[in-house]
Amino acid sequence: MLNHALKNLPLFAALSDAQLSEVAALVKMKKLSSGEILFQEGEDSRGIFILLSGEIKISKISDKGAEHTVCLIQPGDAFAEVVLFTDLPYPATAAASKESAIGCVPSSALERLIEKHPQLGIQVIKVLAKRLYDAQNKNKALALDNVTDRLCNFLYQKAKESGSVFTGGLCHIDLPPTRQELASMLGTTRETLTRLLMGMKKDGFIDLDKNRLSFDPDKLSGYSKNGANRKL
Amino acid sequence: MLNHALKNLPLFAALSDAQLSEVAALVKMKKLSSGEILFQEGEDSRGIFILLSGEIKISKISDKGAEHTVCLIQPGDAFAEVVLFTDLPYPATAAASKESAIGCVPSSALERLIEKHPQLGIQVIKVLAKRLYDAQNKNKALALDNVTDRLCNFLYQKAKESGSVFTGGLCHIDLPPTRQELASMLGTTRETLTRLLMGMKKDGFIDLDKNRLSFDPDKLSGYSKNGANRKL
DNA sequence: AAATATCTGTGATGCAAATCACACTTTTTA
DNA sequence: TAAAAAGTGTGATTTGCATCACAGATATTT
């Protein structure tokens, strides 16, 4: 039953039933209410986690106190894998942005398991590689693209995830609960983001009602003023 | 002999002699002259690489044509590990910034090896985790810190690597060959970087002669105008 | 050693986005 | 349902940095 839940996680998908049972024995379940902090940046690491339901925000705080959202973890994702096989403290803060259920896996136990089962290590590699890929793209965007482009790209990615890009129709997505939250993901301020969204709405590129946003992904690519988002 | 060279690489340090021989059989050596391109962003991936000597620049180009340096690979480092166990194209361009010698390892062969030898997978995990850690810190810096802070932090990191922070003395480091290069690593422009360096020199925080830069890491932390770099 | 190309410093100017400020709306709490 | 709290839109202002422009310095080529 727990085995079955684990089997659906990308991280453990490749394991045999026997191996799954081994993993299951290690996992401790935990509930987090919205807003609750799981670990703080700089805290000694206890292990890695798997999100079963809800949403976890991974963030870092600058010396000036401003917050940067590294990413939002979605159900099925593992997180805090960076601490595996290192003795580093958690490099960011994890807090539940919705009521969440997580599985906790002590690093030491998981490490021993990976040493025994290469398949498990390979899955971890895949997860880390994807994260690194995303992080490096984000770096480039922060270094070279303006806020409009970053926003358009965010929406485009969302559209791709929801699958509606290829069907050609309109795409409806839910924005993060607050403007501040989205701003902090994009590396900008609440005010700037608001202005941008209102501008895109006025220009007819998006339809926005509360946190529900609709748009045509194909049209969007032509939006950015300086052409950075145009198709090649 | 090749075994011995491989043994010194972090990636293969944990392998037995027999395993090393297996790896050695896969590695094909290659020389690159300065400026030569190893692979381009978007190109289908053939495998991962190990830098034996020289330096490789990993970079991405924005739609507008501006370049962002993802990182500089140093001897002993593996790179392009992101493509392991995925069928993604190379996500960035790799070019030799100095005359370099590299080892090429076809993904498929290495993947089979990792499937057999968990230790190898674990090393890959470590390398990826470190890269991800760095990339996320860079994200935060690009999103929240100003250029001065990013520059100071870069110098501070360099000082740490060279070990002179803890000895308390002056630290001498070599900057990248051109200002443009360093600017592109920090996510800024050549002109801005020049102005910043000249300013720090005028204020007596650094000594700069050509590409040789000396400074006292302890004093540096107090430099940034808005206090972002102060000690906590 | 002259000619060409490539870097560098620095002034002048422009602009995207941060900051500050505040009324207005929505949600939460008591 | 009234009061408090949290989030939102929008104007006015500032500013850090990019951009443009060009002369002087260093390399590189022939």
Side-chain angles (χ1 to χ4, degrees), chain A residues 2-232:
Chain A
L2 177 55
N3 275 28
H4 186 70
L6 290 177
K7 182 95 188 167
N8 287 324
L9 302 173
L11 196 59
F12 303 123
L15 299 188
S16 70
D17 284 350
Q19 290 168 334
L20 277 176
S21 300
E22 275 190 272
V23 174
L26 296 173
V27 180
K28 213 179 297 172
M29 302 309 250
K30 195 170 179 176
K31 295 248 171 211
L32 295 174
S33 46
S34 181
E36 200 171 336
I37 288 174
L38 179 58
F39 55 77
Q40 293 265 15
E41 182 171 354
E43 205 173 283
D44 275 345
S45 69
R46 294 153 283 159
I48 77 159
F49 303 91
I50 301 148
L51 182 61
L52 302 174
S53 69
E55 189 181 75
I56 303 286
K57 180 174 78 176
I58 309 289
S59 64
K60 282 169 167 272
I61 303 280
S62 83
D63 312 282
K64 291 159 205 146
E67 181 183 57
H68 174 68
T69 301
V70 176
C71 61
L72 296 178
I73 303 294
Q74 299 301 330
D77 287 349
F79 59 104
E81 327 85 346
V82 227
V83 304
L84 279 177
F85 300 108
T86 73
D87 47 5
L88 292 172
Y90 289 119
T93 296
S97 43
K98 302 175 184 169
E99 183 171 327
S100 302
I102 59 170
C104 311
V105 194
S107 317
S108 52
L110 185 61
E111 284 171 18
R112 256 176 279 126
L113 221 55
I114 293 174
E115 278 165 16
K116 280 203 298 191
H117 307 305
Q119 270 309 320
L120 189 51
I122 288 171
Q123 291 307 312
V124 173
I125 290 173
K126 281 191 192 176
V127 171
L128 282 172
K130 177 61 165 58
R131 279 216 203 299
L132 181 58
Y133 177 85
D134 291 342
Q136 288 179 346
N137 280 333
K138 191 167 171 181
N139 270 331
K140 192 202 76 170
L142 285 168
L144 302 177
D145 298 347
N146 60 30
V147 181
T148 304
D149 289 350
R150 299 208 295 275
L151 172 58
C152 288
N153 218 54
F154 173 87
L155 296 179
Y156 195 80
Q157 287 306 118
K158 279 282 179 187
K160 247 186 8 197
E161 285 170 28
S162 79
S164 56
V165 175
F166 306 109
T167 70
L170 271 193
C171 173
H172 306 270
I173 65 177
D174 280 313
L175 295 183
T178 68
R179 293 293 126 95
Q180 177 59 65
E181 193 48 60
L182 178 54
S184 154
M185 294 173 67
L186 296 173
T188 184
T189 58
R190 183 186 66 79
E191 295 93 324
T192 296
L193 174 63
T194 292
R195 278 185 248 269
L196 253 41
L197 285 173
M198 298 314 273
M200 294 172 80
K201 188 175 179 178
K202 190 158 63 64
D203 297 349
F205 278 91
I206 61 169
D207 203 357
L208 181 60
D209 175 58
K210 195 82 213 75
N211 281 346
R212 191 95 189 148
L213 186 147
S214 331
F215 65 103
D216 179 342
D218 293 328
K219 290 211 186 99
L220 192 72
S221 61
Y223 183 71
S224 185
K225 279 108 185 171
N226 44 33
N229 243 60
R230 73 180 176 286
K231 286 202 177 126
L232 294 177

Side-chain angles (χ1 to χ4, degrees), chain B residues 167-178:
Chain B
T167 68
L170 271 192
C171 174
H172 306 270
I173 66 178
D174 280 311
L175 296 182
T178 69

